[in-house]
Amino acid sequence: MSHYQQFYINGQWVAPKGTQTLDVINPATEEAVATIALGNKEDVDLAVAAAKAAFDSYSQTTREERIALLERVIEVFKKRMGDVAVAISQEMGAPAKLAQAAQAPSGLGHFAAALGALKEFEFEETIGTTLVTKEPIGVCGLITPWNWPMNQLTCKVAPALATGCTMVLKPSEVAPLSALILAEILDEAGVPAGVFNLVNGDGPTVGAAMSGHPDIDMMSFTGSTGAGRQVMANGAQTIKRVALELGGKSANILLDDVNFEKMVAHGVMSCMNNSGQSCNAPTRMLVPNSRMDEVAAIAQAVVSKVKPGDPNAADTVIGPVVSKAQWTKIQDLITTGIEEGAKVVAGGPGRPDGLDKGYYVKPTIFSHVNNEMTIAREEIFGPVLSIIGYEDEDDAVRIANDTRYGLSGYVSSSDLDRARNVARRIRTGMVHLNGAQLDPRAPFGGYKESGIGREWGHYGFEDFLEVKSIFGYNQA
């Protein structure tokens, strides 16, 4: 790939207006794998102008034309899947197996889900003599994070393309390589010039220029709750729509009738997956107080098999966390957990044995945690699980909801109706019952400080559409 030092604007790879660059660090080796150009406000202005000019024609394309475009994107994406997986592993440290099996394919999944939704989506509705139509909102600013890079790129780009919008993308400067490949994919698939534009850069410069830009009609941001506040504040200056997918501190309620061996193991592995770097990870495991010691022993046995190491090694289960800054933050929170009285079941501070280089974190489990402890309230974003005891079902629901976040939740019971009833009481945008998996056709997003709006499938179209009422369109 030869576009590290370029941006994709108006259908061409162009040189940046500034001279700033940034090394992309492989977190497994702490060495640079690439150096990217960093954009500035002038680069953003050019990209926005291209998107604005392209909107007039692209917004008028037919459903059939956009279906054909998404089909071409899918075919090219399939050819580049291996390249995407390698880039993700290098830029954010995902084990090669995870990058190949989940990280890269998630992008294909979102394009396929958008294609399916586009074929059936109702863009018009008649109410009496009024036609209500859903139209593309305009130029969209997209800002994406580093933890599941292709997943979060495509669940914004795909619905934007499907609904007739044009866009400017700022991927995470920490993990930008997969985004550059996506730009190559879209170019080869024949996305019209100006419809998709990419400018690399940091949040305070490029991100702020986008969210405050008067010609960007909508911002879609995924990242930390703190950064989401900034995007929202900047967007307020021009009253633009802002869609946010933010942090989480999801509770995993194991009711007293579950198979604890099975569901504790499932909960531990779900928390550790991707080195704990998932906004919807089940990081608070809620168990009956009477089963605390039993659960801790099961969890300890399970996590002993979670081997951190070289992302390319066949026996690696989790790779490093993404950066030195993240590693330091996680270490500080682990130390805080110990100081506040949580019991270390496994792991703890420092690097795992034998790993002296790379941003590796010991897979760590705390038991006897209460919900007032820092590790139960802050999003750690690392391989750290807190086990919290509850007295009864009502207490479990209370603890689960006692958080400023509301992204996801997990409930397990041998009685499905019981699990369903508890799920309805959880104040989150998503709940998994008995280990159920995500569905890219269903909405993804959260309550409270976990965000605004929903992504994925046909629900993901709504933030990219404006609603217009044309009164008297149908004469009686």
Side-chain angles (χ1 to χ4, degrees):
M1 189 170 60
S2 58
H3 302 303
Y4 298 130
Q5 300 292 322
Q6 296 175 305
F7 304 145
Y8 187 76
I9 298 176
N10 203 27
Q12 296 181 325
W13 290 99
V14 300
K17 294 300 179 182
T19 59
Q20 281 194 302
T21 61
L22 179 72
D23 286 342
V24 179
I25 303 298
N26 182 331
T29 64
E30 302 183 41
E31 297 173 356
V33 292
T35 301
I36 61 165
L38 293 179
N40 58 28
K41 186 179 183 300
E42 191 176 355
D43 296 302
V44 172
D45 288 341
L46 289 172
V48 173
K52 185 177 180 181
F55 180 73
D56 283 346
S57 59
Y58 189 67
S59 64
Q60 298 304 308
T61 54
T62 65
R63 183 198 304 262
E64 289 70 29
E65 288 171 323
R66 297 197 296 273
I67 286 171
L69 177 58
L70 287 176
E71 288 174 340
R72 295 197 302 273
V73 170
I74 288 169
E75 289 309 306
V76 179
F77 195 104
K78 289 176 181 177
K79 293 193 301 181
R80 299 297 303 274
M81 186 87 79
D83 297 334
V84 170
V86 170
I88 290 172
S89 189
Q90 289 180 338
E91 67 190 358
M92 58 76 62
K97 290 182 292 186
L98 179 68
Q100 294 161 4
Q103 287 268 11
S106 67
L108 188 62
H110 285 303
F111 277 117
L115 175 61
L118 178 57
K119 290 177 179 178
E120 300 178 356
F121 193 83
E122 297 292 340
F123 286 97
E124 296 185 350
E125 176 188 5
T126 297
I127 301 175
T129 62
T130 303
L131 178 69
V132 179
T133 180
K134 295 181 178 180
E135 301 177 347
I137 196 169
V139 177
C140 301
L142 315 178
I143 300 178
T144 59
W146 47 260
N147 59 320
W148 284 86
M150 189 54 67
N151 175 75
Q152 286 139 327
L153 289 167
T154 53
C155 73
K156 299 182 191 301
V157 171
L161 288 175
T163 54
C165 293
T166 59
M167 70 208 79
V168 178
L169 168 68
K170 188 203 88 66
S172 169
E173 69 274 23
V174 175
L177 306 183
S178 52
L180 292 169
I181 296 175
L182 178 62
E184 294 175 347
I185 290 169
L186 298 176
D187 183 78
E188 184 178 342
V191 172
V195 171
F196 171 86
N197 305 274
L198 182 152
V199 177
N200 277 317
D202 61 22
T205 307
V206 172
M210 289 170 59
S211 56
H213 203 291
D215 289 333
I216 286 184
D217 302 288
M218 177 266 196
M219 286 297 302
S220 178
F221 171 85
T222 299
S224 72
T225 297
R229 290 191 186 97
Q230 290 298 313
V231 172
M232 197 170 188
N234 292 340
Q237 304 308 307
T238 52
I239 319 296
K240 60 171 53 69
R241 182 178 299 170
V242 176
L244 304 172
E245 199 274 281
L246 308 174
K249 194 68 182 177
S250 302
N252 179 13
I253 300 176
L254 304 187
L255 294 174
D256 56 15
D257 59 354
V258 299
N259 179 328
F260 279 90
E261 290 280 350
K262 177 182 177 182
M263 297 315 298
V264 170
H266 184 273
V268 169
M269 297 307 296
S270 296
C271 179
M272 299 296 158
N273 186 45
N274 202 42
S275 299
Q277 300 171 125
S278 299
C279 53
N280 62 332
T283 53
R284 291 186 296 152
M285 182 180 288
L286 275 53
V287 304
N289 281 321
S290 61
R291 309 294 288 268
M292 176 64 71
D293 291 338
E294 175 191 356
V295 167
I298 296 169
Q300 182 182 48
V302 172
V303 83
S304 68
K305 301 174 184 176
V306 177
K307 184 180 184 299
D310 179 357
N312 293 311
D315 60 346
T316 290
V317 178
I318 63 171
V321 297
V322 75
S323 67
K324 184 177 181 180
Q326 282 296 120
W327 188 89
T328 301
K329 174 194 169 188
I330 294 163
Q331 296 302 313
D332 289 345
L333 285 163
I334 290 173
T335 300
T336 299
I338 294 169
E339 291 172 347
E340 292 183 358
K343 183 178 178 181
V344 178
V345 171
R351 285 186 172 91
D353 292 341
L355 294 172
D356 299 324
K357 194 172 187 180
Y359 306 125
Y360 292 97
V361 175
K362 294 177 184 176
T364 297
I365 296 178
F366 288 100
S367 67
H368 298 81
V369 177
N370 70 64
N371 208 48
E372 301 307 312
M373 292 180 179
T374 303
I375 56 172
R377 305 205 74 79
E378 295 298 318
E379 185 178 36
I380 299 174
F381 230 61
V384 181
L385 173 66
S386 296
I387 305 176
I388 302 169
Y390 66 81
E391 284 300 317
D392 55 26
E393 191 174 294
D394 288 343
D395 192 37
V397 171
R398 180 192 63 78
I399 293 169
N401 289 335
D402 180 21
T403 172
R404 62 192 174 102
Y405 296 111
L407 184 56
S408 194
Y410 302 74
V411 181
S412 296
S413 172
S414 62
D415 181 342
L416 182 57
D417 283 338
R418 186 182 180 196
R420 288 167 173 162
N421 289 335
V422 172
R424 290 182 179 276
R425 300 173 64 191
I426 305 300
R427 297 282 297 163
T428 59
M430 302 172 287
V431 183
H432 299 252
L433 300 185
N434 293 330
Q437 299 299 303
L438 290 163
D439 184 338
R441 299 167 299 178
F444 188 105
Y447 293 9
K448 299 188 281 187
E449 291 188 26
S450 287
I452 299 171
R454 293 294 182 270
E455 296 184 315
W456 300 18
H458 71 86
Y459 283 92
F461 284 19
E462 298 294 343
D463 283 324
F464 294 91
L465 295 168
E466 284 282 20
V467 178
K468 176 187 288 181
S469 296
I470 306 178
F471 303 108
Y473 189 92
N474 299 299
Q475 297 299 312

